[in-house]
Amino acid sequence: MAKLNDAGIKALRSRLDTASVLTPSSDGYQESLTRWSDTGIKPAGVVVQPVDPADISIALLWAQEHDIEVAVKGGGHSTAGTSSSDGGLVIDLSYMTQVTIDLPSKTITAQGGATWKEVDEAGAAHGLATVGGTVNHTGVGGLTLGGGYGWLSGQYGLTIDNLLSARVVLADGTLVTASKSDHPELFWGLRGAGYNFGVVVDFTYQAYDQAEMVFSGVLGFTPDKLEHVFEQLNTSLANPDSRSGAMCFLTHAPDGSGPVIVVICFYNGSREEGLARFAGLINLGPAINALDTMPYSMVNTLQNPQATYGDRKSFKGIFYEPPMDLSFVRTVFEDFMAKVQSDSDLMKSAIILEFMDMRKICEIPSSETALASRNTTQNGIICLRWTDETKDKEHRAWARQIQAKWKTELDAKTKGRKTEVPQYINYAEPGDSVVSNIYGENLERLQTVKATYDPKNVFHKMHPLSTAST
Ligand SMILES: Cc1cc2nc3c(=O)[nH]c(=O)nc-3n(C[C@H](O)[C@H](O)[C@H](O)COP(=O)(O)OP(=O)(O)OC[C@H]3O[C@@H](n4cnc5c(N)ncnc54)[C@H](O)[C@@H]3O)c2cc1C
């Protein structure tokens, strides 16, 4: 890749009328580098903030003419910096966040830089919702292109299962619509490996009637209840209810009072139905019980006080085959807490485990979309958070050690299967040696789609695909 020079920047500015072009000396440049995790901040050579597809097209063609690396920023939540560039061009979609609703067809169209907050709120204004992320400041861009789990997945599947079309600016600068009938192979690839093919200008999703109020909130348990909590969560998966889900956080109380087990509960129904669904957990006598009815859009804000911007973070996917082994989770919990207590800079870290009804997701064959990880395996994340930059390597290595233990456990439980269980792409960091089976049996077909739509490999930052011929 070439280095940027003044003449190149001048040429770019002269071609762009409406977009902002920011270089290190511009007002707003530093701010534009902000990401959810400080580990994602890189000194871009130039940041282009487009307002329409034409701006994106010009920026992409210019970058290839000058042999400059391209990164695309949606919501900016990649902890590995895949939406950032050291010295190259960042196409930052922060000005493309509009969300529109079409009431007759019950569809929601969100621009590529929107967050789920905008989608949740626009939908709620019309009594509608679609499957979006459980933390509302994540971007629709990355989350959709890698599959997308949310609280409504039990009823409606993944975000990509509700994606009707996407408009994409390709590397050659053309704007195309991808859907089941237009560019069907591109549409297939976008749904699960979508960071590899272009810049998505907007996504159109099927939405559903959504009652304003649902039953949700937080339960907090002391560590002695760990096995009982997981027994209940195992039971919930063995008796799935499509309107229900839970997430369990092994972490420390924000007030510093020690380790805590937090469960976020969700029931898309009334208080009575929710109370009945979570009676087993409630009867364990949680130290905190903040379950209540609330607007659906509020459920996706419950994690916001912990999932704040700032600090250094690492996001490592872990995958488990239910039921969760109780002695395994006890060992993981004790080891994690011991390490965090020995280094208080890690105090805001957590192991997050999901308990979702996978039946709807598994109804769709793995070959139907590029997402290979449609199976009964549940997802989780080791989310480390710290401030000391000199510890980046050490903390990431530790996260990989924990991750390896989960992988050994998963392999042991699934060893009779024909193929290794593919793992959820959005929870995997690129280059992750432990989580390596991302594309599964879809890899070869994806390489062919890549060769058609991005033969020069312009989009290569997140789980890159080589073309079939390379
Ligand atoms: C706090 C938090 C909560 C999360 N919760 C969930 C959850 O509930 N469910 C779930 O499934 N996942 C969840 N994730 C994972 C999340 O889906 C991924 O981190 C996702 O990649 C974030 O997308 P983004 O647009 O915010 O990030 P970015 O860093 O902007 O983008 C991530 C990747 O997608 C590409 N990209 C983004 N937008 C576009 C676009 N418009 N066109 C082309 N490429 C684009 C970027 O180039 C980059 O490679 C969560 C992550 C975090 C950090």
Side-chain angles (χ1 to χ4, degrees):
M1 290 280 158
K3 275 197 135 184
L4 269 173
N5 57 38
D6 290 348
I9 300 282
K10 205 170 158 201
L12 177 64
R13 283 192 203 280
S14 72
R15 290 181 207 174
L16 286 166
D17 293 333
T18 44
S20 298
V21 180
L22 306 174
T23 56
S25 59
S26 313
D27 285 348
Y29 168 83
Q30 280 302 335
E31 200 190 328
S32 77
L33 303 184
T34 305
R35 298 292 184 270
W36 180 67
S37 166
D38 290 353
T39 52
I41 298 177
K42 292 183 190 174
V46 59
V47 178
V48 169
Q49 295 174 321
V51 298
D52 60 22
D55 290 340
I56 297 171
S57 173
I58 290 166
L60 282 176
L61 293 176
W62 171 86
Q64 291 166 80
E65 225 174 84
H66 291 79
D67 194 24
I68 302 295
E69 187 197 53
V70 174
V72 182
K73 188 228 164 192
H77 280 61
S78 164
T79 53
T82 65
S83 50
S84 310
S85 173
D86 189 350
L89 163 73
V90 173
I91 299 180
D92 169 4
L93 300 172
S94 300
Y95 290 161
M96 296 182 65
T97 60
Q98 213 182 351
V99 176
T100 50
I101 310 270
D102 184 65
L103 284 178
S105 62
K106 292 190 184 161
T107 56
I108 299 179
T109 298
Q111 284 190 308
T115 65
W116 289 105
K117 178 176 193 291
E118 281 122 14
V119 173
D120 287 346
E121 289 175 358
H126 299 280
L128 295 173
T130 190
V131 180
T134 61
V135 176
N136 76 353
H137 50 70
T138 48
V140 300
L143 188 137
T144 303
L145 296 171
Y149 284 84
W151 291 117
L152 300 179
S153 287
Q155 283 176 276
Y156 310 121
L158 298 165
T159 304
I160 50 171
D161 301 335
N162 297 286
L163 183 67
L164 300 174
S165 63
R167 291 195 309 147
V168 189
V169 180
L170 300 173
D172 67 6
T174 55
L175 173 66
V176 298
T177 299
S179 68
K180 281 193 176 155
S181 53
D182 292 327
H183 295 275
E185 280 299 287
L186 174 62
F187 188 55
W188 176 82
L190 285 175
R191 290 174 294 158
Y195 341 92
N196 280 288
F197 304 109
V199 182
V200 179
V201 173
D202 52 43
F203 300 90
T204 297
Y205 307 99
Q206 185 63 61
Y208 302 90
D209 292 325
Q210 174 60 50
E212 189 193 0
M213 301 303 270
V214 300
F215 186 76
S216 187
V218 168
L219 297 173
F221 296 92
T222 47
D224 57 303
K225 300 250 166 59
L226 180 105
E227 285 80 0
H228 299 297
V229 170
F230 277 89
E231 245 166 32
Q232 290 301 324
L233 292 169
N234 280 341
T235 304
S236 75
L237 286 184
N239 303 284
D241 181 329
S242 63
R243 291 194 282 164
S244 178
M247 282 169 86
C248 181
F249 298 70
L250 308 179
T251 187
H252 272 81
D255 63 4
S257 59
V260 63
I261 301 150
V262 174
V263 182
I264 298 187
C265 303
F266 174 76
Y267 196 86
N268 195 2
S270 67
R271 173 188 296 278
E272 292 66 34
E273 290 169 309
L275 284 172
R277 176 71 187 165
F278 295 108
L281 282 170
I282 296 166
N283 290 341
L284 293 176
I288 300 163
N289 182 343
L291 297 182
D292 206 345
T293 51
M294 62 183 75
Y296 168 72
S297 60
M298 192 193 277
V299 182
N300 294 325
T301 68
L302 292 175
Q303 294 178 61
N304 289 2
Q306 276 70 46
T308 50
Y309 274 68
D311 296 345
R312 310 187 71 72
K313 299 178 184 110
S314 153
F315 219 59
K316 299 246 173 255
I318 47 178
F319 307 93
Y320 73 95
E321 189 63 21
M324 178 78 76
D325 184 276
L326 302 184
S327 63
F328 174 72
V329 78
R330 169 59 75 180
T331 307
V332 166
F333 179 77
E334 300 293 346
D335 289 353
F336 189 75
M337 294 307 157
K339 167 78 179 175
V340 170
Q341 279 162 359
S342 73
D343 184 346
S344 60
D345 194 26
L346 286 165
M347 201 59 85
K348 291 179 180 167
S349 303
I351 294 182
I352 306 169
L353 298 160
E354 297 179 353
F355 293 80
M356 299 288 180
D357 178 1
M358 295 290 190
R359 290 173 301 170
K360 187 81 187 168
I361 292 164
C362 292
E363 270 175 19
I364 297 174
S366 293
S367 58
E368 179 95 7
T369 65
L371 187 100
S373 57
R374 287 183 194 273
N375 47 51
T376 50
T377 302
Q378 295 280 331
N379 303 309
I381 299 156
I382 304 159
C383 183
L384 299 189
R385 183 170 179 154
W386 69 99
T387 61
D388 182 352
E389 201 174 332
T390 65
K391 296 278 187 79
D392 285 7
K393 251 187 157 173
E394 182 186 323
H395 292 333
R396 287 198 178 112
W398 175 54
R400 268 194 294 277
Q401 277 174 25
I402 312 174
Q403 205 185 17
K405 288 186 188 154
W406 285 85
K407 182 70 167 56
T408 306
E409 177 78 3
L410 176 68
D411 288 346
K413 269 203 166 167
T414 57
K415 69 172 179 259
R417 295 197 189 166
K418 204 170 70 189
T419 51
E420 191 190 352
V421 175
Q423 292 142 355
Y424 180 37
I425 184 168
N426 263 340
Y427 289 179
E429 284 186 332
D432 201 323
S433 52
V434 181
V435 176
S436 51
N437 188 17
I438 299 294
Y439 294 123
E441 290 175 358
N442 289 334
L443 180 60
E444 212 173 304
R445 184 170 165 192
L446 275 168
Q447 287 171 327
T448 307
V449 182
K450 179 76 173 173
T452 307
Y453 287 97
D454 183 24
K456 293 186 192 153
N457 201 17
V458 172
F459 304 101
H460 59 260
K461 301 276 291 181
M462 178 81 168
H463 300 297
L465 284 165
S466 58
T467 59
S469 55
T470 54

